[in-house]
Amino acid sequence: MRYLFILLLLLGPQILINAQKEDPAGKQIIETFTRVTQSYPGVHTSFIFTFIDLKDKSENSYTGTFQMKGKKYVLMINNTEIYYDGTTLWNYLPDEQEVNISTPEFNQEEASDFDNPVRFFSLLSKDFFTKFIDTDTREEKTVEVIDLYPKDLEKPFSRIRFQIFKKTHQLYSARYFGKDGIQYILKLTGFQIQELPDSIFQFNPAQHPNVEIIDLR
């Protein structure tokens, strides 16, 4: 689910080596961002997700929405709807009139860092070195720019850059720097803290009577 959190830039190994020191300022910002994000009763965001392939110089952008409550989430983007209620995951493809049902085990060691966007927050302080880069201005507000470098150099990306609003500790954008010439950019265009009913995190087949259900559990 790499639709979440993302931009690419190829970096040389020397940059990675030089980054292997923890920056207390950057770590504090990330820890505060994580704590504040996880404290919300529920979040509804809208975003623009951009995919760039530097090898063929192509670029595509998609708009989407993401709702989160505890371990539950709903992601809607590019004719795909993903529902997760904390146990069961539904991947609904409206164009194909098909929904795949599975019970993912996100705690597996082999799972991708981005398989579960909620799980990702718990990895920030543990699996990454952080580095405070600078402050900047976005939408007439101050953002803090933080780079995160994976402690495991075998990861398929070299770093992730966050821009976080200094006052609210909310995410403005995230960039995923891959090693394969693929670039992901995530920019939030809307952010609301709100109570969300549990029912929205489950796919309702009664509302889609003609959908083919593929149960992979």
Side-chain angles (χ1 to χ4, degrees):
M1 197 180 300
R2 295 182 182 178
Y3 283 136
L4 275 284
F5 299 91
I6 326 281
L7 183 269
L8 141 136
L9 188 68
L10 295 176
L11 296 177
Q14 186 60 44
I15 296 179
L16 284 173
I17 293 172
N18 290 339
Q20 305 310 305
K21 292 183 179 180
E22 193 68 82
D23 174 12
K27 183 177 182 180
Q28 180 61 49
I29 293 169
I30 289 298
E31 288 180 346
T32 301
F33 162 68
T34 300
R35 183 178 67 255
V36 170
T37 300
Q38 293 178 328
S39 72
Y40 296 141
V43 173
H44 184 287
T45 68
S46 55
F47 61 86
I48 298 174
F49 176 77
T50 301
F51 175 92
I52 301 173
D53 188 331
L54 296 183
K55 292 176 290 187
D56 62 15
K57 299 181 180 180
S58 63
E59 178 175 331
N60 294 283
S61 293
Y62 310 94
T63 59
T65 62
F66 179 66
Q67 298 178 80
M68 180 177 71
K69 174 184 177 181
K71 295 181 179 180
K72 306 176 180 68
Y73 64 86
V74 179
L75 172 67
M76 297 188 178
I77 183 175
N78 193 27
N79 297 318
T80 300
E81 299 179 11
I82 299 173
Y83 303 80
Y84 181 62
D85 67 358
T87 302
T88 303
L89 187 145
W90 294 263
N91 191 334
Y92 173 46
L93 305 174
D95 290 349
E96 284 74 23
Q97 285 294 286
E98 172 185 302
V99 61
N100 291 272
I101 308 175
S102 61
T103 305
E105 298 182 24
F106 291 125
N107 291 325
Q108 292 180 343
E109 289 297 324
E110 62 269 20
S112 164
D113 296 326
F114 307 100
D115 283 344
N116 182 349
V118 177
R119 174 180 177 269
F120 178 74
F121 287 107
S122 67
L123 302 176
L124 293 181
S125 296
K126 183 179 69 173
D127 291 354
F128 294 87
F129 293 102
T130 58
K131 184 176 178 60
F132 174 71
I133 303 302
D134 203 349
T135 59
D136 207 338
T137 302
R138 296 287 184 270
E139 301 176 359
E140 299 183 351
K141 300 175 183 178
T142 300
V143 296
E144 296 174 307
V145 183
I146 311 296
D147 279 355
L148 286 83
Y149 301 86
K151 294 180 179 179
D152 181 359
L153 297 183
E154 297 301 315
K155 293 291 186 181
F157 57 94
S158 58
R159 62 172 170 148
I160 302 173
R161 169 162 289 188
F162 282 89
Q163 295 188 68
I164 299 171
F165 286 115
K166 184 175 182 178
K167 184 176 181 179
T168 61
H169 311 293
Q170 294 172 357
L171 183 68
Y172 171 76
S173 70
R175 300 181 176 187
Y176 172 96
F177 294 73
K179 297 177 180 177
D180 56 358
I182 301 299
Q183 183 177 72
Y184 303 93
I185 305 172
L186 177 77
K187 178 184 175 183
L188 297 193
T189 56
F191 187 97
Q192 291 180 310
I193 301 171
Q194 57 185 222
E195 295 285 350
L196 299 171
D198 290 338
S199 59
I200 70 170
F201 302 104
Q202 296 179 329
F203 177 82
N204 188 347
Q207 297 178 352
H208 308 276
N210 298 319
V211 168
E212 178 184 3
I213 299 176
I214 303 175
D215 197 330
L216 304 175
R217 291 172 291 183

